[in-house]
Amino acid sequence: MIRTTFKAVAAEESGPEKLARSFYSILFTEYPQSRDFFPAAMDSQRDRLVRAISYALDRLEEPNKLLPFLAQLGRDHRKYGVQSEHYQAVAHALKTAMSRFAGNEMWTDEVDRAWDEGLTLITDTMIGAAAKESTPPVWTGTVLERRMVLRNLAVVRLRLDQPIQYAAGQYVSVQVPARPRMWRYLSPSVPANANGEIEFHIRGVLGGWVSPAMVNQTNVGDQWLLGSPLGGLGIPRNTKRKMLMIGCGTGIAPLRAQLLQMAQRRTNPKVHLFVGGHHPCDLYDLRTLSKLAATNKWLTVTPVAEHDENPWWHLDSSEHEPPLPGLEPQMTGQIGKVVASFGPWADRDVQIAGSPSMVQTTKFRLMAAGTQTKNIRHDPLY
């Protein structure tokens, strides 16, 4: 009933936008103090709200997936300073907005009770996880280095005020001084360590609010804020099942972190990594991957570029350098199509990391090739 009413509202023309606007209007009118938790520009926030709700509602019948995800969100939301009454306000505003758009005919007493139960499950799980957590609500990181890799891509290294425990492959929310109250999710490209050192690979999105500031306005000594770790990627220590990893652009970061951690273990399953980009220059971390592959026989790395040549603006200093050791020959094509051409990968657990469109396209191509959906993992696409 919850899913049916939500999709009925969201399926209407401009339905998601109208629902989000109504929700925030109710929330800010009835609970004006809640406005302080949100950024000044609300456009992208409205889009994320509807996608987040849809993600949760699609998994109401999969508690083994939904509840751990909600618990992570609850721990992460401590960075905002939210309390239980704020969760109740959000639930009330969402249900009120939904009932207005659904209309009396669809919004029956039974549907009303179903929404109460569903929203109670979500809010209680998040509140309970936050209450039990003993780690800090935020970590402060000092920028040690910003290194430009491409004209719109930077590697930023920080040292945290205290170490943060995250599983290699997870991601964290990050706030930078130039964009207060505007958090963005980034995946550490190195495993957690006792020194509190962390590294991010960041591409500036054209027209984006935050990522261009991260890439172009970051200076050594800047103070960044980090929230609690999120996500379910990672390779269990004792697994014997082979892995297929597919990373595109900065999506290589969470996969790279896992490979660096695995390199510290005595034994590992076979891993085949496909790393892709539009142009050869987008395969910016091949030197690191080359060293890993050359020294770890369980790892195979195949570079994939959609075009054989770099764009005109890229000065190619590696044109006459010898091929990097340990790597398979570079392939040309769209990465999802290339990987699917190898077959269904029936003996592999699959991880995909990259832009939402790349993840979806690659996932569909693998499924069409015979890969079972249950074997494919990726982070939520919102």
Side-chain angles (χ1 to χ4, degrees):
M1 286 187 288
I2 293 171
R3 189 179 297 118
T4 299
T5 50
F6 177 77
K7 290 190 174 181
V9 171
E12 295 181 7
E13 185 177 357
S14 302
E17 181 181 355
K18 292 178 181 177
L19 174 63
R21 288 183 179 277
S22 178
F23 163 77
Y24 283 114
S25 176
I26 295 167
L27 181 65
F28 296 159
T29 299
E30 299 190 17
Y31 307 92
Q33 67 276 15
S34 65
R35 185 64 180 88
D36 293 338
F37 294 121
F38 297 90
M42 292 291 293
D43 292 345
S44 60
Q45 182 70 28
R46 294 190 188 98
D47 294 338
R48 283 199 296 270
L49 168 76
V50 176
R51 289 197 293 269
I53 294 170
S54 179
Y55 180 86
L57 297 186
D58 279 343
R59 287 157 181 78
L60 282 174
E61 294 167 327
E62 301 177 273
N64 60 321
K65 293 183 179 180
L66 177 62
L67 297 183
F69 174 73
L70 292 174
Q72 287 184 345
L73 278 186
R75 290 189 286 269
D76 178 56
H77 275 56
R78 294 177 302 142
K79 69 192 179 200
Y80 299 113
V82 296
Q83 304 297 323
S84 59
E85 59 267 23
H86 300 126
Y87 284 102
Q88 304 304 328
V90 166
H92 168 74
L94 177 58
K95 195 181 103 169
T96 302
M98 278 297 310
S99 63
R100 288 182 180 177
F101 281 95
N104 294 332
E105 185 174 342
M106 179 179 290
W107 197 267
T108 64
D109 290 342
E110 196 175 13
V111 169
D112 190 86
R113 287 193 296 272
W115 272 90
D116 279 340
E117 291 177 12
L119 291 172
T120 298
L121 170 70
I122 293 172
T123 56
D124 285 356
T125 303
M126 295 179 70
I127 292 170
K132 294 177 183 177
E133 188 59 33
S134 58
T135 60
V138 293
W139 285 258
T140 300
T142 302
V143 175
L144 302 179
E145 178 188 12
R146 185 203 64 166
R147 176 167 54 90
M148 296 301 297
V149 178
L150 299 172
R151 67 174 186 174
N152 64 341
L153 196 153
V155 173
V156 179
R157 294 175 53 245
L158 304 97
R159 178 175 287 119
L160 305 178
D161 55 345
Q162 55 183 302
I164 180 173
Q165 294 301 315
Y166 57 87
Q170 287 191 300
Y171 57 98
V172 297
S173 53
V174 177
Q175 178 184 272
V176 297
R179 297 292 185 269
R181 290 191 295 172
M182 301 184 75
W183 296 80
R184 287 298 180 270
Y185 292 121
L186 299 176
S187 295
S189 60
V190 294
N193 60 82
N195 296 324
E197 296 169 341
I198 198 166
E199 177 183 287
F200 297 112
H201 297 183
I202 310 164
R203 185 184 295 274
V205 178
L206 184 64
W209 282 96
V210 179
S211 59
M214 288 179 164
V215 171
N216 300 311
Q217 300 178 29
T218 293
N219 297 303
V220 172
D222 284 354
Q223 302 281 300
W224 289 17
L225 299 181
L226 281 68
S228 296
L230 300 154
L233 294 185
I235 300 177
R237 178 176 290 274
N238 298 319
T239 186
K240 296 181 179 180
R241 189 168 167 83
K242 297 177 182 178
M243 288 293 307
L244 168 64
M245 292 181 167
I246 310 165
C248 200
T250 55
I252 191 61
L255 308 181
R256 177 189 194 268
Q258 293 177 67
L259 295 175
L260 288 171
Q261 186 175 69
M262 293 173 69
Q264 301 173 21
R265 302 175 183 173
R266 291 185 177 181
T267 60
N268 286 296
K270 292 284 187 180
V271 178
H272 195 147
L273 167 68
F274 287 82
V275 53
H278 291 295
H279 304 279
C281 63
D282 292 319
L283 310 178
Y284 62 92
D285 205 33
L286 284 185
R287 290 187 181 279
T288 300
L289 299 177
S290 166
K291 293 176 182 178
L292 281 170
T295 55
N296 295 280
K297 300 306 179 184
W298 46 265
L299 176 62
T300 301
V301 178
T302 301
V304 181
E306 294 184 20
H307 306 280
D308 289 324
E309 297 181 354
N310 283 319
W312 63 268
W313 49 261
H314 179 76
L315 180 62
D316 192 356
S317 59
S318 62
E319 183 177 357
H320 303 293
E321 293 183 5
L324 294 171
L327 302 179
E328 298 293 297
Q330 182 171 306
M331 302 185 69
T332 303
Q334 196 275 334
I335 190 168
K337 187 175 182 179
V338 169
V339 177
S341 70
F342 282 70
W345 300 93
D347 62 338
R348 306 272 176 154
D349 284 332
V350 183
Q351 291 188 25
I352 311 174
S355 68
S357 60
M358 172 268 174
V359 172
Q360 288 283 38
T361 301
T362 302
K363 182 177 180 179
F364 290 151
R365 287 192 179 277
L366 287 173
M367 291 165 59
T371 307
Q372 294 189 47
T373 308
K374 67 178 183 179
N375 295 336
I376 302 174
R377 288 190 292 157
H378 57 81
D379 282 324
L381 298 182
Y382 69 88

